[in-house]
Amino acid sequence: MSESTISVTLEVWRQPGTDAAGRFETYQLDGVSTDSSFLEMLDMLNQKLLTEGKEPVAFEHDCREGICGSCGFVINGNPHGPDRGTTVCQLHMRRFKSGAKLTLEPWRAKAFPVLRDLMVDRSAFDKIMAAGGYNSVNVGNAPDANSIPIGQDAASEAFDAAACIGCGACVAACKNASANLFTSAKIGHLAMLPQGQPERYTRTVAMLDMAEDLGFGACSWTQECEAACPKEISVKWISRAQRDYVKGRVVKGI
Amino acid sequence: MIETSTTPLDGKCPTGPIETRWARHKEHLQLVGPTNRRKYNVIVVGTGLAGASAAATLGEQGYRVTAITYHDSPRRAHSVAAQGGINAAKNYQNDGDSVHRLFYDTVKGGDYRARESNVHRLAEVSANIIDQATAQGVPFAREYGGTLENRTFGGVLVSRTFYARGQTGQQLLYGAYQSLMRQVDKKSVNLLTMKDVLDIIVVDGHARGVVVRDLKTGKLDAITADAVLLCTGGYSNAFYLSTNAMKCNVTATWRAHKRGAFFANPCYTQIHPTCIPEHGESQSKLTLMSESLRNDGRVWVPRKGKDTRAPGAIPAAERYYYLEERYPTFGNMVPRDVASRNAKYVCDDGLGVGQTGRAVFLDFKDAIERLGKEEIARRYGNLFDMYEKIAGENPYQTPMKIYPAPHYTMGGLWVDYDLMSNLPGLFVLGEANFSDHGANRLGASALMQGLADGYFVIPYTLAPYLAKYGNKGGVAADHAEVRGALEGVAQKTEKLMSIKGERTVESFHKELGNVMLDKCGMSRTEAGLNEAIAKIRALRSEFWENVRILPDKDATLNVELEKAHRVADFLEFSELMCVDARERNESCGGHFREEYQTDDGEAKRDDENYAYAAAWEFNGVGADPTLHKEPLTFEFVKLTQRSYK
Ligand SMILES: Cc1cc2nc3c(=O)[nH]c(=O)nc-3n(C[C@H](O)[C@H](O)[C@H](O)COP(=O)(O)OP(=O)(O)OC[C@H]3O[C@@H](n4cnc5c(N)ncnc54)[C@H](O)[C@@H]3O)c2cc1C
Ligand code: FES
């Protein structure tokens, strides 16, 4: 942690509301500590704007440690910025050179309307989850947790898929705005575990159909989603979910 | 002069043998029949572990539930950030754990300021939580043979903590969230996201609804019901910098307090020993490094101050492993309050490291030598990565630097054994209540409590209230109390918007946080607390004259206005924290009063005069609150001076 400061030029998408027109505004920011996070740099910008009597930039965030999935916007064309496996809240200014020009825009997808500036409405993800992203088990029904052994490898692989934070970067990275990585990760997580088997195929079909109904595009396998995912979730989950989808539809007649 | 009520507050705990209290209590609780349940509306505010589990379970039972959160999705609740694990008395490791031991550890860890009955119930249902979560598909860590794995957390001598890598809270929350979304799909739960609850509606002395502000449009609405559950989390952000998420706040519970609900033990706050130290002025929050790291990391500082050698170049004899030396039995695994205070002491003595001198080392060198880098990566990989991203140093090669930070709040709205506040119809669950952790919470016990409250307690204890007082369908939208509450929030919002001052909301919050950390943080004195109260009052008046909110319209998404409502409440609430801390003339758990310590600097309790929960009644902003005491009796755990030597 050795502090120094840099200057950056920001081109930020400003849009006062969903139906309003948006445009880029340019801001110059000096004296940014390289130890501060990207969002702390935006805090600094907002404090400056407020002091000047200007409206601050709205961006979504909460935990600021890469786990809640609230944050996310596009920096110079990259969802969550230049680093792999990193949410924008975990990105630090030491990553940039003084004089850097940074263009910030919201996720662009039909199913994610812009709310204000860099904030979008991602409630479509909740709808996909409600369509089947669970094991139907009421409280009171559960057997002893050790009654079904699960191998360390299977548990660990299930975890890899379950790590998805629902930020929406996969959708933003995809030229078709497909939600397949998000949806398949949840399908894959539950399909890896014995507890998820009874509803495996109905779940897969219901969730993928719902994503389509909500206006997310189809997958054309460019794998941009995996590259943008801050949790580095593999596209293998997409192929697995597709297999289960076909099996569910064709073999099981769902 | 603080007025004290002469009538003791009654927690309505069952009596008799502790092992059967909950079972006997449940047997006598009135039920609501399955066909009648859909006639009752229940509001659940908050979708963290407590709220999501409660809303899902009540939905499964057939009640009509409205779940409200200010997040854009229930999955973002701050529970998602919990790293280390969740306790349960399963004794899968065959190391002598039992319900009684978990009960005993929690009462002792809480420094004998929690209710025995509640804690025992918590220990009893803990095992069911693990079963439920596993059935939901929570991918807990497993042994090679496929059984569940456990680790140890601070303050205990058994391995009872279940975990899912360093993301236990995330996985448990997703389990509860998935169950919740299943009920949303079945239409038994109506989910309202991006709605801020800004007041509680009270009709004829009963909580009957809430006022919400739509965060997208600014529109105010009243939602009425037969009962209201607050599951709104803790108030660590009174300190501004804390490990809590940026939006965590005290608004819902504080506004309920202003409507008559007692606030209990607000001064019991937990400062977590292992956080990444502050980097400078632009710091917006602090990041926790799970305490599970203390299982394998060793805490030390150089014996001599201002030692500028690289940590690796300092020979063992010149390192001060202060926890291991001072507490040979528990060593690096002492409870949080003890670990935090000791870090403060060594830094106060000038032995701290890093740029600011307010940090100590957490060193994994020995563990890496013993277990190999791979095993350490398996256990803590994501924490190490997170550290490197934030601090810019690789903890496999150089020790982490850590320092304590505000983390958890044991205080909260007062509730009885059934989790109902003194305001009938208002139930409080999870971190928002005060019930189970006394003056200090043990690691991995908050997740346990939130889920115990939501899955296993409220589904039983809500029914008797509804059967007796529910009015099946709620209150008319044009009821005077509903209109009054709406009006009140509208006026407050208008007032905030009309100030048009010079200072940002953030700058007030930061200043308040500095006062609180300095005077009401890891150690407190009467004089310091009085000073803090004066400063808070001055800051509060300035806020109401000089805050600036932009955009200057409320009928839109307006982040500054959201924050202004929250900071306005912190500015009132933090005064109560200081009053509570000043009135408690003893040290216990996370509450350390410098005037009350043993010769070797340990917390000195005063059981004769302070073995009670302090529940405060609101008498107006700036007016002295009235103290109600709930006496705490210890029949099953002997009161002793806590010792981790
Ligand atoms: C970094 C970190 C790590 C932790 N690690 C552990 C651990 O390893 N083990 C452990 O046991 N505990 C841990 N804890 C503590 C534990 O995570 C919390 O105490 C617990 O998750 C709180 O759950 P909750 O449901 O009570 O509240 P939260 O999860 O905070 O949820 C609060 C909910 O209320 C909503 N809300 C609040 N106010 C309003 C309002 N006015 N209007 C509308 N909605 C509102 C929010 O949107 C949210 O949905 C950790 C805490 C932190 C900060
Ligand atoms: S703010 Fe939570 S993931 Fe970035």
Side-chain angles (χ1 to χ4, degrees), chain A residues 154-213:
Chain A
S156 173
E157 209 179 341
F159 188 101
D160 290 342
C164 165
I165 57 176
C167 64
C170 48
V171 177
C174 175
K175 65 177 169 34
N176 301 338
S178 165
N180 260 24
L181 191 62
F182 168 82
T183 311
S184 304
K186 184 48 63 187
I187 290 170
H189 157 214
L190 296 174
M192 279 305 298
L193 300 170
Q195 291 85 353
Q197 297 313 310
E199 296 163 291
R200 177 167 173 177
Y201 297 98
T202 45
R203 172 188 306 120
T204 306
V205 171
M207 290 179 78
L208 286 169
D209 283 354
M210 177 58 86
E212 196 184 325
D213 291 350

Side-chain angles (χ1 to χ4, degrees), chain B residues 143-266:
Chain B
E143 306 281 0
Y144 285 114
T147 53
L148 290 158
E149 195 178 323
N150 293 103
R151 54 163 64 140
T152 311
F153 254 54
V156 303
L157 297 170
V158 293
S159 278
R160 64 160 74 99
T161 305
F162 295 79
Y163 68 102
R165 288 195 200 152
Q167 287 151 246
T168 316
Q170 179 200 27
Q171 294 307 319
L172 289 169
L173 180 66
Y174 291 176
Y177 158 65
Q178 288 167 202
S179 293
L180 174 67
M181 294 319 286
R182 174 171 163 244
Q183 295 308 311
V184 171
D185 193 42
K186 292 185 162 188
K187 306 224 167 7
S188 50
V189 175
N190 177 23
L191 173 65
L192 303 177
T193 56
M194 292 192 84
K195 303 255 195 243
D196 218 356
V197 167
L198 294 180
D199 204 358
I200 311 298
I201 296 168
V202 180
V203 178
D204 301 331
H206 288 250
R208 292 289 190 216
V210 294
V211 175
V212 295
R213 178 171 180 274
D214 186 310
L215 297 179
K216 292 188 238 177
T217 63
K219 188 169 174 293
L220 295 183
D221 264 315
I223 301 171
T224 59
D226 297 290
V228 177
L229 276 51
L230 293 186
C231 316
T232 49
Y235 51 84
S236 293
N237 279 351
F239 295 101
Y240 184 68
L241 286 184
S242 83
T243 64
N244 283 196
M246 302 294 288
K247 296 179 187 175
C248 291
N249 66 84
V250 76
T251 289
T253 47
W254 182 248
R255 296 201 183 177
H257 175 63
K258 291 174 88 170
R259 292 274 176 194
F262 295 167
F263 214 111
N265 303 335

Side-chain angles (χ1 to χ4, degrees), chain A residues 1-3 16 35-36 40 43 47 50-51 53-56 60-65 67-70 85-86 90 92 94 115-116 119 121-122 126 129-130 133-140 142-146 148-152 155-156 159-160 162-166 182 186 189-190 193 195, chain B residues 57 60 71-76 80-81 83 90 92 130-132 134-137 139-140 142-149 164-165 167 170-171 174 177-178 181-182 185 194 216 245-247 276 279 282-285 287 355 378 386 389-393 455-456 504 506 548 550-551 556-557 560:
Chain A
M1 293 189 212
S2 59
E3 200 187 35
D35 278 338
S36 63
E40 285 169 348
D43 290 342
Q47 293 303 300
L50 280 161
T51 324
K54 297 182 188 143
E55 291 185 4
E60 190 59 284
H61 66 106
D62 199 23
C63 74
R64 296 203 172 187
E65 49 190 67
I67 194 71
C68 74
S70 295
T86 305
Q90 291 174 297
H92 277 67
R94 65 177 78 89
L115 292 171
R116 188 182 189 96
M119 281 173 78
D121 183 345
R122 288 167 292 191
D126 283 336
M129 289 295 290
Y134 42 75
N135 292 340
S136 296
V137 50
N138 281 2
V139 170
D144 183 86
N146 260 351
I148 309 173
I150 302 174
Q152 205 176 60
S156 173
F159 188 101
D160 290 342
C164 165
I165 57 176
F182 168 82
K186 184 48 63 187
H189 157 214
L190 296 174
L193 300 170
Q195 291 85 353
Chain B
T57 312
E60 288 165 11
H71 285 104
D72 70 335
S73 165
R75 66 186 298 150
R76 315 233 189 267
V80 79
Q83 301 168 351
K90 280 281 198 188
Y92 281 162
I130 304 305
D131 300 339
Q132 180 61 24
T134 302
Q136 289 166 341
F140 284 121
R142 301 259 167 183
E143 306 281 0
Y144 285 114
T147 53
L148 290 158
E149 195 178 323
R165 288 195 200 152
Q167 287 151 246
Q170 179 200 27
Q171 294 307 319
Y174 291 176
Y177 158 65
Q178 288 167 202
M181 294 319 286
R182 174 171 163 244
D185 193 42
M194 292 192 84
K216 292 188 238 177
M246 302 294 288
K247 296 179 187 175
I276 302 179
H279 62 68
S282 60
Q283 186 93 35
S284 58
K285 71 158 293 213
T287 301
Q355 263 178 47
R378 191 182 74 82
M386 186 155 94
K389 272 180 191 151
I390 294 172
E393 287 177 344
Y455 286 137
F456 297 108
T504 63
E506 210 68 26
R548 167 178 292 183
L550 286 168
T556 179
L557 196 152
E560 292 299 309

Side-chain angles (χ1 to χ4, degrees), chain A residues 173-176 178 180-181 184 217-226 233-243:
Chain A
C174 175
K175 65 177 169 34
N176 301 338
S178 165
N180 260 24
L181 191 62
S184 304
C219 173
S220 54
W221 205 251
T222 56
Q223 306 185 30
E224 292 294 335
C225 51
E226 179 181 308
I233 291 175
S234 160
V235 289
K236 80 174 179 202
W237 299 108
I238 299 184
S239 8
R240 288 192 191 178
Q242 289 303 333
R243 268 204 305 276

Side-chain angles (χ1 to χ4, degrees), chain B residues 230 274 322 540 574:
Chain B
L230 293 186
T274 47
Y322 56 90
R540 192 165 64 220
S574 43

